[in-house]
Amino acid sequence: DVKVTQSSRYLVKRTGEKVFLECVQDMDHENMFWYRQDPGLGLRLIYFSYDVKMKEKGDIPEGYSVSREKKERFSLILESASTNQTSMYLCASSLSGRSYGYTFGSGTRLTVV
Amino acid sequence: SQKIEQNSEALNIQEGKTATLTCNYTNYSPAYLQWYRQDPGRGPVFLLLIRENEKEKRKERLKVTFDTTLKQSLFHITASQPADSATYLCALADSGNTPLVFGKGTRLSVIA
């Protein structure tokens, strides 16, 4: 069964900590994405990548960075966690091209205290 | 500005009825539109994709329509069941290989 795996389901971090969220897909997908989801705001795109070592900013990249050293792995980094980064983080992957659905991971619920 | 609106935040229907969810968009020219299901605390799951040259797409009890003139997609679940209760998201991408933009979703509750 093909899937996207996010390393943690729940995470609690302190303000100012550097946080790493890991995402691995086993479908040989070219495209990978990081979204955050908040009540009333829906899914918002943070960063995406269409190839290894390639990254593009989404709609809300401030306070985040990403790394894609291998095709199957896309990491989201919170450089200095803040309470307004408390959210559900969702990783997704897809084949290249416009007519493919995304496969999402189960999400990481991050709480910054 | 560009907008995707799912008109109802929540929809309650009785078991056995047809649920109809609406997705409207503004200032996009999507070549296709997608629908996802999301259960609480989980990631969205892809259901259907419909292309701009397709008026209607069906998959089991699901039916999606796409009207590029009205800039609207309708998502129908026939013979709805309590297990269909979830949040349903529409998503689209503008021309080119741009990432999907998602609507905020409609929370469907099917009451037995």
Side-chain angles (χ1 to χ4, degrees), chain B residues 37-55:
Chain B
R37 169 185 173 137
Q38 186 175 24
D39 292 291
R42 313 299 293 185
V45 174
F46 171 70
L47 295 175
L48 280 168
L49 178 150
I50 185 165
R51 294 179 173 80
E52 61 181 337
N53 60 349
E54 296 174 316
K55 296 297 182 191

Side-chain angles (χ1 to χ4, degrees), chain A residues 45-87:
Chain A
L45 181 66
I46 306 171
Y47 267 96
F48 60 101
S49 169
Y50 287 155
D51 201 352
V52 177
K53 297 193 187 292
M54 175 269 182
K55 59 187 177 186
E56 293 280 350
K57 292 180 180 178
D59 299 317
I60 51 164
E62 297 78 19
Y64 303 94
S65 63
V66 290
S67 171
R68 194 166 181 201
E69 295 296 318
K70 293 185 177 181
K71 188 176 185 180
E72 67 270 19
R73 186 181 296 270
F74 192 35
S75 303
L76 179 69
I77 303 148
L78 284 66
E79 298 292 343
S80 176
S82 63
T83 55
N84 63 13
Q85 292 179 311
T86 291
S87 185

Side-chain angles (χ1 to χ4, degrees), chain A residues 9 31 33 35 37 40-43 45 48 50 59 88 90 96-107 109, chain B residues 29-32 34 36 38 41-46 49 51 89 93-104:
Chain A
R9 289 283 282 132
N31 303 339
F33 310 88
Y35 290 85
Q37 187 173 34
L41 296 177
L43 281 152
L45 181 66
F48 60 101
Y50 287 155
D59 299 317
M88 170 71 111
L90 290 159
S96 183
R98 293 189 293 163
S99 58
Y100 297 100
Y102 288 10
T103 302
F104 281 85
S106 295
R109 186 165 294 281
Chain B
S29 299
Y32 63 92
Q34 301 185 12
Y36 290 76
Q38 186 175 24
R42 313 299 293 185
V45 174
F46 171 70
L49 178 150
R51 294 179 173 80
L89 307 168
D94 218 343
S95 56
N97 193 22
T98 54
L100 286 176
V101 179
F102 286 81
K104 292 180 182 176

Side-chain angles (χ1 to χ4, degrees), chain B residues 6-98:
Chain B
Q6 294 189 243
N7 291 8
S8 300
E9 190 173 318
L11 181 65
N12 298 327
I13 65 164
Q14 277 202 308
E15 183 177 8
K17 302 290 187 184
T18 296
T20 299
L21 284 61
T22 305
C23 177
N24 295 291
Y25 58 92
T26 308
N27 291 326
Y28 284 100
S29 299
Y32 63 92
L33 190 143
Q34 301 185 12
W35 284 89
Y36 290 76
R37 169 185 173 137
Q38 186 175 24
D39 292 291
R42 313 299 293 185
V45 174
F46 171 70
L47 295 175
L48 280 168
L49 178 150
I50 185 165
R51 294 179 173 80
E52 61 181 337
N53 60 349
E54 296 174 316
K55 296 297 182 191
E56 182 180 297
K57 197 91 170 268
R58 291 176 185 262
K59 179 182 175 183
E60 297 172 353
R61 293 184 297 111
L62 309 180
K63 184 178 88 170
V64 172
T65 63
F66 190 13
D67 189 324
T68 55
T69 302
L70 290 178
K71 298 187 185 298
Q72 181 180 81
S73 176
L74 299 178
F75 177 83
H76 307 272
I77 306 175
T78 58
S80 58
Q81 305 165 0
D84 295 326
S85 298
T87 296
Y88 292 86
L89 307 168
C90 70
L92 54 82
D94 218 343
S95 56
N97 193 22
T98 54

